Amino acid sequence: MSYIAAIDQGTTSTRCIVFDRNGTIIAQAQKEHAQIYPQPGWVEHDPEEIWRNTLEVIALARINASLQATDIEAVGITNQRETTVVWNKHTGKPYYNALVWQDMRTADLVNQFAADSPLGQDRFRQKTGLPLATYFAGLKLRWLLDHVPGLRDDAETGDALFGTIDTFLVWHLTTGLHITDVTNASRTQLMNLETLDWDDDLLDTFGVPRLMLPQIRPSSEVYGHITSEVLPGVPIAGILGDQQAALVGQTCFEPGQAKNTYGTGCFLLMNTGTVLRQSTCGLLTTVAYQLKNQPVHYALEGSVAITGALVQWLRDNLGMIQNSSEIEPLARSVEDNGGAYIVPAFSGLYAPYWKADARGVMAGLTRFVNRGHIARAVLEATAYQTADVMRAMEEDAEISLKSLRVDGGMTINELLMQFQADVLQVDVVRPRITETTSLGAAYAAGLAVGYWNDLDDLRQNWAVDKIYQPTMPDEQRDKLERGWKKAVERSFGWEE
């Protein structure tokens, strides 16, 4: 038997999952890494810790299933997008901690770049599909170039290399291959969506030397072979940003198909085919995937910064629960939210609002509200934010979704999934395999080496675990959504 391995480097942990031809998990291993908060709004990771963890989980996954390197036909990589690393090409050592996608230290740069154009936040949207925001990698790189001593000099000579986490891992696994794929490149705000290449005008405006940038490649092809002893000689053949990987893992290959991943944040993507659709409703236009020798597919995306992280906040900051799994029974201890709403704008609000100055609020509190109501409001916040994004997406794409495919850790929460269906008024479909992010990376790699023949092979692997159908009366839903909208408005303009 032979298998495909996926390295899934996420915001809070790194995993290696090994799949067979049916998409069944054969082995897996996972290890968390530290979240570093030097200042309010700053979020960092240690790239060297992530690299060590990557080697460890690959080794553990092999040991758990007694696999030899020759049992693995290819490796795919999926990664937390936008998280930005710079390292020395001679030593491999980072110049600074990785700036995580949630990091907000570039807020002043966002304001500066927006003020210099009559288009404001949409200054670069036509070329990149992205508004100016703290989210994307280009301004994070600019901040590093401006603040890390000696970095700009090394960047100008090509001694300093930039990459998102996929690039950093490939470089180390192959001893020096400096590449990224089109999905990750599309999240830097430095790539032109039509040419699929770094844009010289953007590089000049951002002050980024081209010498430090990786080569942009399709999402599925053989890039090179691993030199590390954990999987010597095995080809790396797939790279996808995590949300695009989930889209592929959910086999959303047709225009109009959409998925939502419930993790630290929520990410709703709709495949728009080979058509590049600019958003007028606060969404992102991004690359969905590009298979070898095939046209690129685009997507509309709406990102919600805080969803699963809100459950962690309830656990770690407020101490209302000891384990994340306790939130569902606590929320079920009450019949409804008791009038309470939580808007988790800890890092501002993303799509469709894009309010960097928004801050989290709890609204509608009375003496009646208890722990159960707060727990329910935490879960409902995820469903409301998803609904906001989906309605904007339907307007942009001029398509009414008939169902939403879901994946990620929070989909085991039956209360949340049912409430999501009620708020959206469409079926919410959970697949048999919910590790769709890792599976998408495996699919990309497997297609490149012929492990799977074509997209039909992948579609045959997709199977339904459960469908949640809307049951809530319209009057009740409308009342709840009015309360949510009021709470959202109260979060705006907190920092002025």
Side-chain angles (χ1 to χ4, degrees):
M1 290 289 290
S2 62
Y3 308 99
I4 301 293
I7 299 168
D8 183 347
Q9 204 300 295
T11 305
T12 58
S13 69
T14 305
R15 299 187 296 173
C16 179
I17 302 183
V18 180
F19 295 94
D20 67 10
R21 293 185 197 278
N22 297 321
T24 302
I25 294 174
I26 300 301
Q28 60 182 312
Q30 180 173 358
K31 188 168 185 181
E32 292 189 358
H33 56 267
Q35 306 296 309
I36 304 166
Y37 306 103
Q39 296 182 30
W42 291 28
V43 190
E44 299 176 0
H45 293 157
D46 178 354
E48 293 188 289
E49 181 188 11
I50 288 174
W51 167 233
R52 291 192 301 270
N53 289 357
T54 300
L55 294 177
E56 185 172 333
V57 296
I58 293 172
L60 285 172
R62 279 185 54 188
I63 291 169
N64 291 342
S66 301
L67 298 174
Q68 302 298 315
T70 51
D71 295 325
I72 307 297
E73 287 204 19
V75 170
I77 294 177
T78 182
N79 56 289
Q80 50 169 322
R81 305 169 304 170
E82 297 95 16
T83 296
T84 300
V85 191
V86 288
W87 68 97
N88 186 280
K89 79 171 184 180
H90 304 291
T91 66
K93 297 293 183 182
Y95 287 84
Y96 195 87
N97 278 337
L99 304 191
V100 181
W101 58 274
Q102 299 160 314
D103 189 280
M104 296 181 65
R105 75 188 65 190
T106 57
D108 288 343
L109 281 172
V110 169
N111 294 335
Q112 174 188 321
F113 277 87
D116 289 343
S117 168
L119 296 175
Q121 275 189 289
D122 290 335
R123 178 176 178 180
F124 305 117
R125 187 184 282 273
Q126 192 63 35
K127 280 188 175 183
T128 68
L130 312 174
L132 276 165
T134 59
Y135 190 10
F136 308 111
L139 284 182
K140 297 182 192 298
L141 177 54
R142 169 63 181 268
W143 188 94
L144 290 166
L145 288 165
D146 288 346
H147 290 84
V148 177
L151 175 57
R152 183 169 288 280
D153 289 341
D154 285 359
E156 296 284 359
T157 60
D159 291 326
L161 303 179
F162 155 78
T164 41
I165 296 293
D166 60 303
T167 301
F168 183 73
L169 293 182
V170 169
W171 191 91
H172 279 81
L173 285 167
T174 61
T175 319
L177 182 61
H178 191 214
I179 62 170
T180 190
D181 90 302
V182 287
T183 67
N184 280 291
S186 74
R187 313 298 294 193
T188 62
Q189 210 160 41
L190 300 174
M191 187 192 83
N192 187 306
L193 279 180
E194 293 186 350
T195 67
L196 305 180
D197 193 10
W198 306 119
D199 187 276
D200 287 328
D201 290 338
L202 291 171
L203 297 184
D204 184 61
T205 303
F206 279 72
V208 171
R210 182 181 271 268
L211 279 176
M212 71 186 311
L213 301 179
Q215 182 187 9
I216 301 173
R217 304 278 288 272
S219 310
S220 175
E221 68 174 14
V222 175
Y223 311 111
H225 294 75
I226 294 174
T227 57
S228 169
E229 62 184 13
V230 292
L231 281 175
V234 176
I236 299 176
I239 302 173
L240 286 159
D242 52 9
Q243 303 314 318
Q244 287 91 338
L247 191 77
V248 171
Q250 288 274 31
T251 66
C252 292
F253 299 125
E254 301 301 321
Q257 291 185 318
K259 69 89 197 173
N260 193 26
T261 298
Y262 298 76
T264 305
C266 258
F267 301 88
L268 184 62
L269 267 72
M270 176 192 286
N271 188 334
T272 62
T274 56
V275 178
L276 195 164
R277 286 185 178 269
Q278 293 290 350
S279 174
T280 60
C281 298
L283 302 180
L284 311 178
T285 303
T286 194
V287 173
Y289 55 85
Q290 184 186 25
L291 306 181
K292 183 180 179 182
N293 299 325
Q294 293 189 25
V296 67
H297 278 239
Y298 295 99
L300 286 169
E301 174 178 338
S303 305
V304 180
I306 304 293
T307 53
L310 186 59
V311 178
Q312 295 170 342
W313 174 80
L314 195 72
R315 179 193 68 193
D316 300 338
N317 292 49
L318 299 189
M320 285 192 179
I321 54 176
Q322 296 300 310
N323 299 294
S324 296
S325 60
E326 296 173 14
I327 192 168
E328 183 172 3
L330 180 57
R332 286 189 182 277
S333 69
V334 293
E335 291 185 0
D336 53 35
N337 65 11
Y341 295 84
I342 298 177
V343 182
F346 298 158
S347 302
L349 284 173
Y350 290 0
Y353 302 105
W354 294 107
K355 297 283 189 180
D357 60 354
R359 287 296 177 269
V361 300
M362 300 177 78
L365 300 184
T366 64
R367 286 288 298 271
F368 174 72
V369 171
N370 62 31
R371 292 170 64 246
H373 297 117
I374 297 298
R376 199 170 186 110
V378 164
L379 295 179
E380 290 182 356
T382 292
Y384 289 129
Q385 292 178 101
T386 297
D388 288 343
V389 172
M390 181 170 160
R391 289 185 181 118
M393 192 168 282
E394 289 177 320
E395 186 174 340
D396 271 335
E398 299 178 345
I399 296 173
S400 293
L401 292 185
K402 294 180 175 60
S403 66
L404 179 67
R405 298 185 179 188
V406 299
D407 54 72
M410 294 183 80
T411 60
I412 63 172
N413 191 305
E414 302 276 346
L415 178 63
L416 171 60
M417 292 296 98
Q418 182 58 53
F419 190 78
Q420 186 70 87
D422 288 336
V423 171
L424 290 176
Q425 296 176 270
V426 300
D427 289 353
V428 169
V429 184
R430 185 175 65 198
R432 179 175 56 85
I433 300 173
T434 59
E435 298 293 352
T436 54
T437 302
S438 300
L439 184 59
Y443 281 165
L447 285 171
V449 297
Y451 187 79
W452 291 287
N453 293 320
D454 52 33
L455 299 184
D456 284 339
D457 279 357
L458 309 185
R459 290 187 181 99
Q460 289 175 16
N461 281 348
W462 192 84
V464 173
D465 174 51
K466 187 168 183 177
I467 298 176
Y468 299 86
Q469 297 179 320
T471 59
M472 183 180 289
D474 291 346
E475 183 179 347
Q476 181 183 354
R477 184 185 59 255
D478 292 345
K479 180 181 178 181
L480 288 170
E481 290 200 322
R482 285 196 300 271
W484 168 253
K485 293 296 185 185
K486 289 179 182 178
V488 169
E489 289 171 5
R490 283 160 173 73
S491 74
F492 293 168
W494 195 260
E495 288 196 350
E496 293 180 346

